[in-house]
Amino acid sequence: MKPPYPTNPIIMHPHRLILTCMLLLGLTATAAARVVYTPQDSARVVELLRTETGEEDVLFYARQFLGLPYVAHTLEVSDPECLVVNLRELDCTTFVETVCALTLTHRQGKDSFDAFCENLERMRYMDGRMDGYCSRLHYFTWWMQDNIKKGLVGEVTDPQYFTACITVNNFYMSRHPDRYTLLKGHPDRVREIRRLEETYNGPGGNYLPQKYTGLSRQQLGAIHSGDIVAIVTTKAGLDYSHLGFAVWEPDGKLHMIHASSQLKKVVEDTRPLQTYLSGISTSIGVRLLRLK
């Protein structure tokens, strides 16, 4: 995805505005949250939650979206902030969040749209509560640390191969507020984003260097199919540039299921992950998380 991956300026195409339901839902673990969705979205969520997934539930849900169009900015439809549910158009971040929220809901033994929305809100927002634009976990470092703290994900690592250290220095959003529809004209939000950038910046842990991503499944046994993959980037002001899910394919190589901005759709990439990364000049490795 083109930087910055979480929130690009929105282009208000007329068809994008046909989000037919904006209403208050009483979510069981939070205050009532405004949710933007279509009847198609809610029906699809319930349908998926009532379908048998098999053991690899993350991969099951990820593969349900194969071929769907890649579309950025789908969260930028309302000010004040709303919980946006869109299963018809996905970017790399909304793809990962949607799949994770479905999987969490399924593992809880629930099959309602309300329960899905509750999990999506928990994962997308700081401390699990939607409280305006700045409460959204815009950078992946924020997303990762907050969801580890909430116990929703755990880090995947191996001291033999996860040998590179990342130092986070996010500043893209606060330095380029003009590129964000919901930051332009809101200096108070820019100040808060800058404060959060500074709070989360610093040593960020270890990642798997790109040279090791082509190793065998036996060597990289710490990585499981369905783990969240975050691509570490050298782009100025950003930490990670793209997200997806790891999948070990029959060729014995690690691949990725992701919403591809290059191919304009969700794909189970035929290229091994190392081959994919070699075509991106700013990628230097990957970070991995596992949904609990």
Side-chain angles (χ1 to χ4, degrees):
M1 174 181 281
K2 298 177 182 178
Y5 59 86
T7 51
N8 289 319
I10 184 170
I11 301 172
M12 300 293 281
H13 295 300
H15 77 275
R16 189 79 58 76
L17 297 178
I18 307 176
L19 291 166
T20 60
C21 299
M22 181 181 290
L23 61 155
L24 293 176
L25 287 182
L27 302 181
T28 57
T30 65
R34 284 173 300 166
V35 182
V36 178
Y37 66 98
T38 68
Q40 178 185 349
D41 294 320
S42 58
R44 181 62 173 152
V45 165
V46 172
E47 177 188 14
L48 288 171
L49 290 173
R50 294 179 180 177
T51 302
E52 180 59 43
T53 66
E55 292 184 5
E56 294 188 324
D57 47 7
V58 176
L59 290 186
F60 170 82
Y61 288 123
R63 286 170 171 153
Q64 301 310 303
F65 299 103
L66 292 176
L68 260 65
Y70 173 96
V71 179
H73 343 300
T74 58
L75 301 187
E76 314 303 310
V77 298
S78 177
D79 192 8
E81 183 84 359
C82 287
L83 181 68
V84 176
V85 178
N86 186 341
L87 276 67
R88 296 156 285 108
E89 307 164 318
L90 298 163
D91 64 22
C92 69
T93 303
T94 58
F95 171 59
V96 166
E97 288 181 336
T98 299
V99 169
C100 286
L102 284 165
T103 305
L104 284 172
T105 308
H106 167 73
R107 291 179 182 179
Q108 293 162 355
K110 300 176 181 178
D111 62 7
S112 71
F113 184 63
D114 286 23
F116 167 82
C117 289
E118 180 182 349
N119 282 316
L120 185 62
E121 181 182 7
R122 286 174 66 204
M123 183 157 282
R124 182 174 289 169
Y125 293 96
M126 205 165 294
D127 297 323
R129 179 175 174 269
M130 183 178 64
D131 186 22
Y133 177 80
C134 293
S135 70
R136 200 192 311 166
L137 297 165
H138 293 284
Y139 292 98
F140 188 72
T141 293
W142 303 2
W143 194 98
M144 174 180 62
Q145 292 189 20
D146 199 71
N147 281 297
I148 287 175
K149 182 176 70 175
K150 288 179 291 202
L152 299 181
V153 299
E155 187 171 4
V156 176
T157 189
D158 181 336
Q160 184 174 1
Y161 296 114
F162 287 69
T163 56
C165 300
I166 181 173
T167 299
V168 177
N169 185 26
N170 286 324
F171 57 77
Y172 194 94
M173 292 183 70
S174 64
R175 291 195 191 177
H176 304 285
D178 56 308
R179 302 182 186 184
Y180 295 82
T181 298
L182 300 182
L183 283 181
K184 286 190 296 186
H186 292 279
D188 54 328
R189 293 179 184 173
V190 177
R191 285 192 295 270
E192 177 62 9
I193 291 293
R194 183 181 301 114
R195 184 190 70 80
L196 290 167
E197 288 170 342
E198 293 171 353
T199 297
Y200 281 91
N201 283 347
N206 291 357
Y207 65 92
L208 181 69
Q210 189 164 312
K211 65 181 179 180
Y212 293 143
T213 57
L215 295 177
S216 69
R217 188 170 190 172
Q218 183 177 7
Q219 292 169 301
L220 295 178
I223 301 174
H224 297 177
S225 288
D227 288 345
I228 300 166
V229 178
I231 296 176
V232 186
T233 185
T234 59
K235 293 175 181 175
L238 291 174
D239 47 5
Y240 302 87
S241 61
H242 192 56
L243 305 178
F245 292 101
V247 56
W248 288 104
E249 297 287 8
D251 63 3
K253 298 294 186 181
L254 190 63
H255 291 242
M256 187 167 60
I257 303 176
H258 59 122
S260 170
S261 60
Q262 295 173 331
L263 301 175
K264 304 300 181 186
K265 60 183 178 180
V266 178
V267 297
E268 186 161 348
D269 214 305
T270 58
R271 298 165 291 183
L273 179 60
Q274 188 176 54
T275 303
Y276 171 81
L277 294 175
S278 68
I280 305 172
S281 62
T282 55
S283 71
I284 54 175
V286 295
R287 197 77 176 267
L288 290 111
L289 299 174
R290 184 168 302 146
L291 193 64
K292 290 189 174 181

